[in-house]
Amino acid sequence: MVPPYTMKLAYTASLLLLAPLTWGVLVAQFGQSAFGLEPLEREPRAHLTDLTIDKLSLLDLHERLVSIPSVSGSEHAVAVYLARVLEQMGLTVELERVSGGSADKPRYNVYAYQGRTRNTTVVVTSHIDTVPPYIPYHVEGTKIFGRGSCDAKGSVVSQIFAVLSLIGNAEVEEGQVSLLYVVGEEVDGSGMSTASRDLNATWELAIFGEPTELKLGVGHKGNYFFELVVKGHASHSGYPELGTSATEILVPVLQDLLALELPLLELLGPSTLNIGRIDAGVAANVIPARAYAQVLIRVAADLALVDKLVRQVVGNVAHLEFKLHATNEPQYIDYKVDGFESIVLAYATDIPNLVGQNLTLRYLYGPGSIHVAHGDNEYVENEDLLVAVEGYRKLIKHVLAK
Ligand SMILES: *[C@@H]1O[C@H](CO)[C@@H](O)[C@H](O)[C@H]1NC(C)=O
Ligand SMILES: *[C@@H]1O[C@H](CO)[C@@H](O)[C@H](O)[C@H]1NC(C)=O
Ligand SMILES: *[C@@H]1O[C@H](CO)[C@@H](O)[C@H](O)[C@H]1NC(C)=O
């Protein structure tokens, strides 16, 4: 692994060229193939409800962001596009280099704020990478489909419109709110980890955007992810005494794992265990020399206890190798705000990767449902994007009043 490094760009400087452009020209540019994109197809969404701030259309921005492929690792184009839009809307924008990508297409986090004050009371954040594969933007009825439409580019546009409208109405001032859009959330949280380590900005409160069905997440389960590898010894199945069957060692271990009483918590429900992959052997008439399993536990509470229970099962089994790949503590966040419902979530977010801050409150909120987020039918409802703008506005005002 190449050690991650950071290179902050004074994005302002590189955009001076754009400064004399009027909005008309800019919109025309966006309308052409400024970023290798085709002009927007307006017709299919004439019936949708839009929101516009200083000629920036929420539906246009959403379409643009969804249309730019940004599978984790390849977020260059979407970051540069987003930075340019935020800059045009009057924010100071920094691109923060995140390791990976290529020399000509580096990966960037996007950090934006008012004026010169980088440390803000609240940071409003989400991610600009998506899971594969890319799915083009399209509209059916009031549903807006496409990869990232919901997870999490829906949150991104709603957050941006909330913040721009608060700024436009002078409801927030410099030093109060910043926007942070990170890469790599869907794989390893490298974007948020890099921001935590190197961005050198301080926040007191954080609002995370992910699909929560417009409710406040009460938290989410942690992870405990491991592999089991059994190395036996092959032989003819007619002479099993000459071999060591890897499956006969692995299967009882898996049964014991399935029988574990894992910790539960009223708030998040039970910890659940999934044996997601099993692989062993070569043929029915050969004693298998090798068996393999991947197991992921979604941890509702007490990660240390989960670790202990698993090790009790897998420890001291001859021929068995236990490889622990990743652990994440369950996250318990703030969710009590008047006017918002709450929701229990079974998916992981960047929340544990934002470290090194003394955050007094953390909220998780966004349009769309996780149930469609990684599927090939990923979509967000038009109306949810608009409701989320209002939701983020309320949340930001709520936390600033603290
Ligand atoms: C962090 O920012 C402050 C100004 O806000 C600056 O004085 C300091 O040198 C910066 N530290 C690093 C490591 O960049
Ligand atoms: C902003 O935060 C950084 C990192 O915590 C700190 O080094 C710096 O002094 C802060 N700047 C101001 C102006 O408070
Ligand atoms: C968090 O609080 C601790 C203890 O008060 C302090 O030492 C540290 O600098 C704070 N960190 C930030 C980022 O403000």
Side-chain angles (χ1 to χ4, degrees):
M1 292 274 285
V2 181
Y5 64 98
T6 308
M7 180 180 70
K8 281 177 207 147
L9 295 185
Y11 202 73
T12 320
S14 62
L15 282 172
L16 279 180
L17 272 177
L18 280 180
L21 294 180
T22 65
W23 256 107
V25 176
L26 185 75
V27 169
Q29 276 213 345
F30 284 178
Q32 290 159 11
S33 55
F35 296 89
L37 301 171
E38 294 306 310
L40 292 173
E41 273 292 332
R42 276 160 216 287
E43 209 42 52
R45 27 164 250 233
H47 60 291
L48 299 184
T49 311
D50 201 358
L51 181 64
T52 309
I53 296 181
D54 288 345
K55 292 190 181 155
L56 180 68
S57 140
L58 178 140
L59 291 181
D60 277 1
L61 181 60
H62 187 243
E63 175 169 359
R64 285 305 195 198
L65 294 179
V66 173
S67 300
I68 302 174
S70 63
V71 172
S72 310
S74 308
E75 304 96 338
H76 175 83
V78 79
V80 169
Y81 180 79
L82 185 57
R84 179 171 168 164
V85 170
L86 293 173
E87 174 88 12
Q88 280 296 328
M89 296 308 288
L91 299 178
T92 307
V93 182
E94 295 175 20
L95 291 177
E96 182 189 37
R97 182 80 167 86
V98 178
S99 68
S102 59
D104 60 330
K105 295 218 159 80
R107 307 170 76 197
Y108 295 119
N109 289 333
V110 179
Y111 186 51
Y113 47 90
Q114 277 180 279
R116 308 174 125 248
T117 311
R118 302 181 73 250
N119 295 351
T120 60
T121 313
V122 50
V123 63
V124 178
T125 182
S126 187
H127 62 93
I128 49 177
D129 65 314
T130 70
V131 294
Y134 173 70
I135 299 170
Y137 179 96
H138 65 284
V139 176
E140 286 174 31
T142 56
K143 293 183 169 61
I144 304 174
F145 289 84
R147 178 61 78 220
S149 56
C150 158
D151 186 6
K153 291 170 178 175
S155 293
V156 172
V157 294
S158 297
Q159 290 178 336
I160 290 172
F161 272 73
V163 168
L164 290 177
S165 84
L166 289 168
I167 293 173
N169 298 343
E171 292 171 275
V172 298
E173 57 192 40
E174 180 172 335
Q176 288 194 309
V177 184
S178 55
L179 293 167
L180 174 64
Y181 294 113
V182 301
V183 299
E185 189 274 343
E186 297 288 4
V187 287
D188 55 6
S190 56
M192 187 59 90
S193 300
T194 302
S196 290
R197 195 181 52 238
D198 298 331
L199 194 59
N200 190 28
T202 300
W203 311 295
E204 294 162 34
L205 310 137
I207 297 172
F208 294 84
E210 288 278 359
T212 66
E213 301 174 12
L214 303 170
K215 299 169 185 172
L216 290 176
V218 303
H220 60 76
K221 294 177 186 180
N223 283 335
Y224 188 87
F225 171 39
F226 60 97
E227 269 176 13
L228 299 172
V229 181
V230 184
K231 287 188 183 125
H233 181 67
S235 73
H236 191 290
S237 63
Y239 303 88
E241 66 279 8
L242 299 180
T244 305
S245 166
T247 52
E248 285 183 27
I249 294 169
L250 182 63
V251 168
V253 169
L254 294 178
Q255 271 167 342
D256 288 351
L257 286 172
L258 288 172
L260 281 178
E261 284 206 22
L262 295 168
L264 65 83
L265 186 77
E266 202 179 327
L267 193 64
L268 297 186
S271 300
T272 56
L273 180 145
N274 180 44
I275 303 170
R277 279 199 65 191
I278 299 183
D279 187 34
V282 291
N285 58 358
V286 179
I287 300 293
R290 188 177 169 281
Y292 163 86
Q294 274 190 357
V295 184
L296 177 61
I297 301 177
R298 302 274 179 188
V299 180
D302 207 342
L303 185 62
L305 177 60
V306 170
D307 182 63
K308 189 174 143 200
L309 292 171
V310 170
R311 284 177 193 276
Q312 279 170 1
V313 171
V314 302
N316 298 320
V317 177
H319 305 285
L320 177 80
E321 191 189 349
F322 168 66
K323 296 184 186 171
L324 183 57
H325 284 301
T327 64
N328 278 305
E329 290 284 351
Q331 299 294 315
Y332 312 115
I333 55 178
D334 304 283
Y335 61 92
K336 288 182 182 151
V337 180
D338 284 346
F340 288 89
E341 287 177 63
S342 64
I343 183 172
V344 177
L345 302 165
Y347 60 87
T349 69
D350 255 339
I351 294 175
N353 300 319
L354 176 51
V355 296
Q357 304 280 335
N358 297 321
L359 297 172
T360 54
L361 286 171
R362 297 176 302 172
Y363 291 102
L364 177 63
Y365 172 86
S369 164
I370 196 67
H371 295 132
V372 299
H374 291 188
D376 55 12
N377 63 338
E378 176 168 354
Y379 73 89
V380 66
E381 278 289 345
N382 173 206
E383 191 190 345
D384 284 9
L385 294 175
L386 304 174
V387 175
V389 173
E390 214 28 64
Y392 283 120
R393 280 176 46 86
K394 259 161 77 176
L395 268 182
I396 294 167
K397 289 203 279 189
H398 171 82
V399 298
L400 285 175
K402 290 270 159 187

